[in-house]
Amino acid sequence: MRVVNLSGALFDRVFNTYKLMHTYQTLDFVKQKHLEWANCNHFSMSMMENIDCLDELVDESDPDVDFPNSFHAFQTAEGIRKEHPDKDWFQLVGLIHDIGKIMALYGEPQWAVVGDTFPVGCKFQNSIVFRNSTFEGNPDGKNPALNTEFGIYEPKCGLDNILMSWGHDEYLYRVMKFNKCTIPEEGLYMIRFHSFYPWHSNGDYMHLCNEKDLQMLPWVKEFNKFDLYTKSTELPDVGSLRPYYQSLIDKYCPGILRW
């Protein structure tokens, strides 16, 4: 999450979302969510239909904007398109990176869908947002086996082998893999770890990273520039942009997908 000066009702909304997240996102909880969602047996729809569904959602963890997520999707994609016109897969990642949030429209509380992510199964690092005031109720923090630097993991085991707090990043990554979408590995890392701010913005959890993670980190950082700083109240003309982005969907993740 970008560090901002929050106040009043907006602060309360953001803080309360993280308080719930940091209380209930445990190792056991994450394992359960993988069982519930990673098999992609909840519903079927196209990528663009999912993007349209985001109009029903306002992210309770986001301090920057207070309008539906679909506008942010096109803002992000267009920001990337201007600076990376030769990387159509990167533009598509900008469009779809948040659409795993559709879980919130299918019964998941927002604290299990939105917001910054962090590893479970090892010590909660200090760079996690609201670290000092929101984890008191999380039982993993009191479990000696889970409260060391490595916890249940091996040094340099790689982020592929880490269980992250459950949310829209990991869910969409699982959807991409399940449906055999052809977005390059760099794009899949952007999708899977764009909310992992303690890693890509604060340099934490490097002791768990392998060489592949370090090679992919610059791509995640590059994506983050557009994810954060394309948010504005100047909303894009979505209707005129749809045909172009539909062509990218048809190229990399066509047809009806299972979610």
Side-chain angles (χ1 to χ4, degrees):
M1 185 177 73
R2 179 158 49 153
V3 177
V4 292
N5 294 318
L6 302 177
S7 61
L10 181 57
F11 174 86
D12 291 341
R13 186 185 80 182
V14 173
F15 180 84
N16 289 337
T17 300
Y18 279 103
K19 176 77 170 178
L20 291 166
M21 180 195 303
H22 295 165
T23 299
Y24 297 113
Q25 288 267 8
T26 64
L27 180 60
D28 288 343
F29 175 82
V30 170
K31 289 179 177 178
Q32 180 61 35
K33 289 301 158 187
H34 275 267
L35 291 175
E36 290 179 20
W37 286 97
N39 292 324
C40 299
N41 57 3
H42 287 257
F43 53 93
S44 299
M45 67 171 59
S46 70
M47 196 66 78
M48 195 63 83
E49 286 173 329
N50 186 314
I51 293 167
D52 289 339
C53 286
L54 292 185
D55 281 335
E56 301 175 41
L57 179 70
V58 172
D59 185 335
E60 293 176 358
S61 74
D62 194 336
D64 291 330
V65 295
D66 210 13
F67 52 79
N69 271 271
S70 65
F71 290 104
H72 170 57
F74 282 97
Q75 285 176 335
T76 305
E78 282 295 279
I80 293 168
R81 187 180 177 187
K82 287 177 183 175
E83 288 202 30
H84 297 279
D86 58 328
K87 294 182 176 63
D88 60 356
W89 60 266
F90 192 0
Q91 299 161 26
L92 179 60
V93 168
L95 184 75
I96 69 174
H97 71 282
D98 274 347
I99 64 174
K101 293 178 181 180
I102 197 168
M103 285 189 295
L105 304 180
Y106 284 81
E108 286 295 337
Q110 287 220 11
W111 57 263
V113 175
V114 303
D116 298 4
T117 58
F118 54 91
V120 295
C122 59
K123 181 180 178 181
F124 303 125
Q125 298 291 331
N126 289 333
S127 62
I128 299 173
V129 64
F130 301 128
R131 168 66 180 90
N132 293 329
S133 55
T134 55
F135 277 92
E136 300 93 336
N138 190 310
D140 287 3
K142 303 174 180 66
N143 184 335
L146 306 180
N147 206 16
T148 65
E149 291 294 311
F150 292 101
I152 64 174
Y153 307 113
E154 298 294 326
K156 295 181 167 52
C157 62
L159 296 182
D160 270 343
N161 296 305
I162 301 297
L163 283 170
M164 301 293 295
S165 57
W166 182 254
H168 68 282
D169 297 41
E170 184 69 24
Y171 175 50
L172 181 58
Y173 170 76
R174 296 288 171 176
V175 170
M176 295 289 101
K177 297 294 282 188
F178 184 91
N179 288 281
K180 296 181 171 56
C181 299
T182 57
I183 290 172
E185 189 70 11
E186 295 87 346
L188 294 178
Y189 256 73
M190 295 171 184
I191 287 169
R192 195 176 193 183
F193 298 115
H194 70 270
S195 301
F196 188 11
Y197 282 83
W199 176 56
H200 64 64
S201 294
N202 295 99
D204 268 341
Y205 297 101
M206 290 298 178
H207 55 290
L208 299 175
C209 294
N210 60 20
E211 190 60 36
K212 178 184 177 183
D213 300 325
L214 300 181
Q215 291 172 357
M216 293 293 165
L217 179 56
W219 287 99
V220 179
K221 286 177 173 285
E222 179 67 9
F223 173 79
N224 186 244
K225 294 188 329 193
F226 302 98
D227 187 19
L228 281 181
Y229 299 112
T230 54
K231 294 176 182 176
S232 72
T233 55
E234 186 177 333
L235 302 181
D237 181 1
V238 170
S240 67
L241 298 175
R242 276 178 180 272
Y244 175 72
Y245 286 102
Q246 185 62 56
S247 73
L248 303 190
I249 291 170
D250 293 342
K251 180 177 180 180
Y252 291 102
C253 39
I256 303 299
L257 307 179
R258 288 180 58 185
W259 298 83

